[in-house]
């Protein structure tokens, strides 16, 4: 996100805070008449008996540089007597209001404008607790500060995900300064000291200084009761999520047994699961049952945090981790490795016979460990060879469905890595006899022709389990070209159908697939699915020197910098003679000089070099 967008967001938030602080309302009675004065950021209004008799509308917030504004008007009493009303509102440090009727002062009020960062906002903890007490669960993942954090330039993340993304460290001395401010707050808790700490907390994400803070804070002498009091104050008055997290970290540095139930409720919101469980496990006794309760009642990134804190202290918890631990987690993260280790998957599969439930649970964990994403973890799993050997052994009895066979196809793909990779595996978590056993077990199971038949029937008759069917057909090297082309004709936006035909390594097929994108128009208004199709075709084309030049020209002409970049990345692998003298060269020359995106400009220069 650029500085300009970040600045706009900050200015918007400041303006909203100021608007809420200056929003005031006074009501007076004069001889049975109701006088109302309304002060807002861009408007002052005087009403008598519900009727507006004077109004001052401002065009800009900067018009407040004029310190005072006046409202004047007249009204008649029931006796017919005419009365004059005069109102004066304004001030820089204090908001002053004076109301006179017929020259007689009815009101003179002056209130200090403090602009406290928690004022005029909904507090997060009461918001969460109210939901829970009313429903015995949290019914929404929204938070009161969503409007402060998100806009058209800052898309909303799943709860807890922003902390997973964060990699930046805080600026030097930030943590030391924050601790100093918090200690001042502890020793002298006033609006001023609390505001200073609060504002400092808002400057950075707690995750970016968490460990540094704990290390420094633990070595400081302090009165624990006052630390807890101010942590609770911050927790109860936090209108921003980072302040909630900071307060939870502080509570976790001491005894917070009496807050156990409140911490349990906070932990049910995935944005706070990790820090709330830190406070629970460090500041309360016998917390593991509570952690288990949280793990069973959160999803996504919160469940990953809960699994990290959960200990398999009894058989019930271990079995739950093994069979239910991965349910409702985010695909492609470390939760699979946690479940394999804490659920003792290796020991479970070493039994001579296992239940259908255990086989299903083991398959779910294994598939997650094999996930080809940023967090693929099978090679990090200490017992990978043993577990896959025992799982494929048990599969001889339990494998019946297309989905179960699909897991075997993914294990088979995992076995296809090069000798260098296997050399590393044999030195860590595999033995040669385990690899041979896995291969032989899968081959024995695959001798049954019913899996291929199920796959073909599925592809011909419906869309359910298509991914499993495609992988199974590919394992058997079955020719599904015609089936896939028919499916693409019916649904040209499903990129998986295109990828299913890439294994043919046939340039004619690739050219035919490219023709289906003619229905996408000029690529300037692609749907998400259409863009994915274009991207997978671009990445596949780099194997076919000189192929799809018209498609590449069309892609280069879009306003989408990402597509432009990937297209030129593909062209970098082509022989220059295939595109020199064509429109591609003209476009590359233009982008090398004029591209607004620096990455596009750089790769255009590389292409022409």
């Amino acid at each position: 996100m650029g500085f300009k967008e970040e600045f706009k967001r900050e200015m918007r938030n400041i303006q909203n805070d100021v608007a809420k602080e200056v929003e005031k309302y006074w009501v007076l009675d004069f001889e049975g008449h109701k006088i109302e004065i309304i002060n807002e950021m861009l408007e002052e209004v005087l009403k008598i008996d519900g009727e507006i008799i004077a109004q001052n509308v401002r065009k800009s917030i900067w018009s407040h540089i004029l310190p005072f504004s006046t409202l004047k008007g007249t009204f008649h009493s029931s006796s017919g007597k005419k009365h004059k009303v005069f109102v004066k509102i304004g001030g820089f440090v204090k908001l002053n209001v004076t109301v006179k009727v017929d020259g007689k002062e009815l009101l003179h009020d002056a209130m200090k404008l403090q602009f406290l960062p928690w004022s005029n906002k909904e507090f997060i903890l009461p918001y969460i607790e109210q939901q829970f007490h009313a429903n015995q669960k949290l019914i929404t993942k929204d938070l009161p500060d969503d409007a402060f954090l998100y806009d058209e330039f800052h898309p909303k993340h799943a709860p807890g995900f922003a902390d997973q993304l964060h990699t930046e460290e805080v600026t030097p001395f930030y943590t030391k300064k924050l601790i100093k401010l918090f200690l001042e707050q502890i020793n002298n808790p006033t609006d001023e000291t609390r505001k200073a700490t609060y504002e400092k907390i808002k400057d950075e994400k707690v995750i970016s200084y968490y460990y540094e803070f704990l290390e420094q804070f633990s070595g400081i002498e302090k009165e624990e009761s006052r630390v807890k009091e101010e942590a609770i104050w911050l927790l109860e008055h936090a209108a921003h999520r980072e302040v909630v997290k900071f307060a939870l970290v502080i509570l976790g540095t001491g005894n917070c047994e009496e807050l156990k139930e409140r911490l349990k409720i906070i932990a049910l919101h995935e944005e706070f699961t990790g820090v709330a469980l830190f406070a629970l496990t460090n500041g309360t006794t016998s917390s593991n049952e509570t952690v288990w309760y949280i793990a069973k009642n959160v999803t996504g990134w919160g469940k990953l945090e809960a699994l990290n804190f959960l200990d398999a202290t009894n058989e019930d918890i271990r079995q739950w981790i093994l069979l239910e631990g991965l349910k409702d987690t985010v695909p492609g993260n470390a939760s699979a490795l946690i479940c394999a280790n804490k659920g003792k998957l290796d020991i479970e599969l070493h039994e001579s016979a296992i239940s259908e439930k255990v086989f299903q649970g083991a398959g779910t964990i294994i598939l997650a460990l094999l996930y080809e994403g940023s967090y693929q973890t099978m090679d990090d799993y200490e017992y990978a060879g043993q577990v896959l050997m025992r799982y494929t052994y048990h599969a001889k009895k339990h494998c019946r469905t297309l989905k179960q066979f699909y897991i075997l196809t993914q294990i088979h793909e995992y076995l296809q890595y090069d000798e260098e990779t296997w050399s590393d595996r044999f030195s860590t978590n595999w033995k040669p006899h385990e690899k041979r056993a896995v291969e032989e077990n899968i081959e024995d199971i695959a001798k049954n022709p019913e899996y291929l038949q199920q796959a073909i029937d599925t592809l011909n008759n419906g869309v359910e389990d298509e991914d499993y069917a495609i992988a199974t057909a590919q394992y058997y090297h079955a020719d599904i070209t015609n089936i896939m082309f028919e499916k693409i004709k019916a649904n040209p936006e499903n990129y998986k159908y295109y990828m299913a035909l890439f294994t043919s390594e046939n340039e004619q097929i690739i050219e035919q697939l490219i023709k289906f994108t003619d229905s996408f128009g000029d690529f300037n208004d692609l749907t998400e699915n259409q863009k994915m199709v274009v991207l997978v075709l671009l990445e596949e084309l780099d194997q076919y020197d000189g192929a799809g030049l018209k498609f590449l020209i069309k892609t280069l002409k879009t306003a989408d910098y990402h597509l432009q970049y990937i297209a030129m990345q593909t062209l970098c692998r082509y022989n220059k003679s295939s595109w020199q003298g064509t429109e591609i060269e003209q476009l590359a020359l233009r982008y090398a000089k004029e591209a607004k995106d620096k990455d596009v400009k750089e790769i255009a220069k590389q292409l022409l070099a």
Side-chain angles (χ1 to χ4, degrees):
M1 199 58 55
F3 171 79
K4 184 178 179 181
E5 288 75 21
E6 198 68 36
F7 179 74
K8 281 183 179 178
R9 180 174 69 167
E10 288 301 315
M11 288 301 296
R12 179 202 69 202
N13 290 329
I14 291 169
Q15 182 176 332
N16 289 341
D17 285 350
V18 172
K20 289 177 182 177
E21 182 67 19
V22 302
E23 187 176 299
K24 305 296 180 186
Y25 174 73
W26 298 269
V27 60
L28 306 169
D29 178 77
F30 176 78
E31 297 181 359
H33 295 279
K34 183 180 180 182
I35 301 175
E36 297 173 271
I37 302 97
I38 303 163
N39 185 76
E40 295 181 342
M41 173 65 78
L42 297 175
E43 185 179 39
E44 295 97 21
V45 178
L46 171 62
K47 290 183 179 181
I48 307 292
D49 297 329
E51 181 182 348
I52 296 175
I53 66 168
Q55 187 176 21
N56 182 19
V57 178
R58 301 174 184 273
K59 294 181 179 180
S60 165
I61 62 170
W62 307 114
S63 60
H64 275 270
I65 197 168
L66 299 173
F68 288 93
S69 64
T70 59
L71 298 168
K72 298 177 182 179
T74 60
F75 70 98
H76 291 84
S77 64
S78 56
S79 64
K81 183 179 178 181
K82 184 178 181 180
H83 299 282
K84 294 181 180 180
V85 185
F86 171 84
V87 178
K88 185 177 181 181
I89 305 174
F92 287 121
V93 178
K94 290 184 178 180
L95 184 63
N96 296 273
V97 59
T98 301
V99 182
K100 296 180 180 180
V101 177
D102 298 334
K104 181 181 178 181
E105 186 174 279
L106 297 187
L107 172 70
H108 178 73
D109 192 14
M111 56 188 70
K112 186 177 181 181
L113 298 175
Q114 292 181 295
F115 301 107
L116 299 172
W118 57 83
S119 294
N120 306 305
K121 298 180 181 72
E122 186 169 8
F123 299 147
I124 290 173
L125 177 58
Y127 173 84
I128 291 174
E129 288 180 325
Q130 183 180 9
Q131 273 191 66
F132 181 81
H133 293 313
N135 305 282
Q136 296 305 302
K137 63 180 181 179
L138 302 188
I139 57 175
T140 176
K141 302 304 181 185
D142 295 338
L143 286 172
D145 66 341
D146 281 350
F148 173 81
L149 290 173
Y150 304 120
D151 55 28
E152 67 272 24
F153 301 110
H154 303 79
K156 188 173 181 178
H157 295 303
F161 182 51
D163 283 348
Q164 303 289 331
L165 285 176
H166 199 79
T167 56
E168 295 179 11
E169 295 182 358
V170 291
T171 54
F173 308 114
Y174 171 87
T175 305
K176 186 176 180 180
K177 177 65 175 176
L178 176 58
I179 291 174
K180 181 182 178 182
L181 290 172
F182 185 57
L183 290 175
E184 289 172 359
Q185 175 185 335
I186 292 167
N187 295 326
N188 181 28
T190 65
D191 279 347
E192 286 73 19
T193 58
R194 286 166 171 168
K195 178 182 179 182
T197 307
Y198 196 110
E199 293 284 12
K200 193 68 176 175
I201 296 168
K202 280 174 54 190
D203 284 347
E204 299 284 355
K205 295 183 74 65
V206 171
I207 191 68
S208 64
Y209 59 84
Y210 172 80
Y211 295 106
E212 181 185 356
F213 180 88
L214 289 176
E215 183 180 354
Q216 293 184 24
F217 193 67
S218 63
I220 296 173
E221 287 189 19
K222 48 202 177 285
E223 190 176 329
E224 296 300 333
S225 62
R226 299 186 74 170
V227 170
K228 184 189 296 185
E229 285 174 10
E230 288 309 300
I232 293 172
W233 188 92
L234 285 170
L235 184 62
E236 292 179 337
H237 292 80
H240 300 82
R241 65 192 65 190
E242 293 305 315
V243 181
V244 174
K245 294 174 187 177
F246 178 83
L248 291 170
V249 171
I250 295 294
L251 289 171
T253 64
N255 186 319
C256 52
E257 189 72 37
E258 75 277 17
L259 297 170
K260 195 168 187 176
E261 287 305 309
R262 299 188 80 181
L263 296 175
K264 179 178 173 181
I265 293 170
I266 301 168
L268 290 173
H269 196 294
E270 287 84 353
E271 184 66 32
F272 307 112
T273 303
V275 279
L277 289 181
F278 167 77
L280 275 165
T281 54
N282 284 275
T284 71
T285 58
S286 305
S287 60
N288 200 56
E289 285 293 324
T290 303
V291 176
W292 189 24
Y293 167 81
I294 300 302
K296 290 187 287 187
N297 287 279
V298 292
T299 60
W301 299 103
K303 190 163 187 179
L304 172 61
E305 295 284 3
L307 288 168
N308 269 313
F309 281 95
L310 183 60
D311 294 324
T313 52
N314 59 52
E315 185 62 13
D316 287 342
I317 296 177
R318 186 189 73 81
Q319 282 286 322
W320 180 85
I321 291 172
L322 190 69
L323 303 179
E324 301 288 335
L326 278 181
K327 186 178 179 182
D328 296 325
T329 57
V330 180
N333 63 54
S335 52
L337 190 57
I338 296 170
C339 290
N341 285 322
K342 293 187 176 183
K344 297 181 180 177
L345 179 61
D346 57 311
I347 294 174
E348 194 76 40
L349 292 180
H350 265 285
E351 296 290 334
S352 58
I354 61 173
S355 68
E356 186 67 30
K357 271 189 175 181
V358 169
F359 181 71
Q360 293 280 19
T364 301
I365 293 173
I366 287 168
L367 196 57
L369 289 169
L370 291 169
Y371 181 85
E372 287 282 4
S374 302
Y375 300 92
Q376 186 186 24
T377 46
M378 182 59 84
D379 283 339
D380 296 327
Y381 182 35
E382 183 179 2
Y383 305 109
Q386 294 179 45
V387 161
L388 292 185
M389 179 178 69
R390 294 301 299 168
Y391 176 80
T392 53
Y393 165 80
H394 290 299
K396 292 180 180 181
K397 175 183 177 181
H398 291 284
C399 184
R400 293 290 180 270
T401 68
L402 202 56
K403 181 177 180 179
Q404 290 168 337
F405 190 81
Y406 168 78
I407 297 172
L408 298 181
T409 69
Q410 301 311 290
I411 295 172
H412 173 75
E413 282 191 22
Y414 173 77
L415 299 178
Q416 306 311 306
Y417 280 80
D418 56 39
E419 290 184 10
E420 184 179 350
T421 300
W422 274 105
S423 178
D424 291 338
R425 289 173 180 171
F426 288 143
S427 67
T428 53
N429 56 355
W430 277 83
K431 293 181 176 61
H433 79 272
E434 293 169 342
K435 181 174 183 285
R436 288 194 299 271
V438 173
E439 290 171 334
E440 291 168 2
N441 290 337
I442 295 175
E443 287 172 6
D444 285 347
I445 296 167
K447 289 176 182 176
N448 187 339
E450 71 174 89
Y451 301 112
L452 178 58
Q453 190 58 53
Q454 283 184 44
I456 299 301
D457 290 344
T458 297
L459 292 174
N460 281 323
N461 299 323
V463 295
E464 191 175 346
D465 294 341
E466 277 190 338
D467 289 349
Y468 308 144
I470 290 170
T472 299
Q474 289 176 333
Y475 171 83
Y476 283 102
H477 303 291
D479 185 358
I480 55 173
T481 305
N482 292 335
I483 297 175
M484 288 296 102
F485 271 122
E486 288 303 313
K487 286 189 171 295
I488 293 172
K489 286 177 185 177
N491 182 8
E493 296 186 10
N494 189 327
Y495 73 92
K496 292 180 181 178
Y497 295 155
Y498 293 78
M499 293 181 70
L501 294 173
F502 289 167
T503 54
S504 64
E505 298 182 359
N506 185 320
E507 186 174 333
Q508 289 183 336
I509 287 178
I510 297 301
E511 292 283 7
Q512 286 178 272
L513 292 175
I514 286 171
K515 288 181 181 177
F516 284 109
T517 65
D518 289 345
S519 64
F520 297 173
D522 62 4
F523 292 2
N524 274 317
D525 193 24
L526 296 173
T527 66
E528 286 299 315
N529 290 334
Q530 288 173 342
K531 184 172 179 178
M532 184 59 72
V533 169
V534 173
L535 284 171
V536 298
L537 285 169
L538 285 172
E539 291 179 359
E540 182 67 14
L541 270 176
D542 63 14
Q543 301 179 53
Y544 303 94
D545 187 15
L549 292 184
K550 289 183 179 180
F551 170 76
L552 288 164
I553 290 170
K554 192 174 178 181
T555 308
L556 288 171
K557 284 183 172 181
T558 68
D560 188 317
Y561 298 144
H562 183 215
L563 288 180
Q564 291 174 7
Y565 182 86
I566 300 299
M568 279 188 273
Q569 203 172 42
T570 299
L571 285 161
C572 283
R573 298 183 181 93
Y574 279 18
N575 191 310
K576 286 186 180 180
S577 62
S578 65
W579 52 264
Q580 280 179 326
T582 70
E583 193 173 359
I584 289 174
E585 186 172 18
Q586 297 170 20
L587 290 165
L589 286 166
R590 191 177 86 197
Y591 291 145
K593 293 179 181 178
E594 304 172 5
K596 293 180 180 179
D597 184 90
K598 63 179 182 179
D599 292 330
V600 170
K601 181 178 283 190
E602 185 59 35
I603 198 166
K605 291 177 181 177
Q606 291 177 25
L607 183 61
L608 295 167

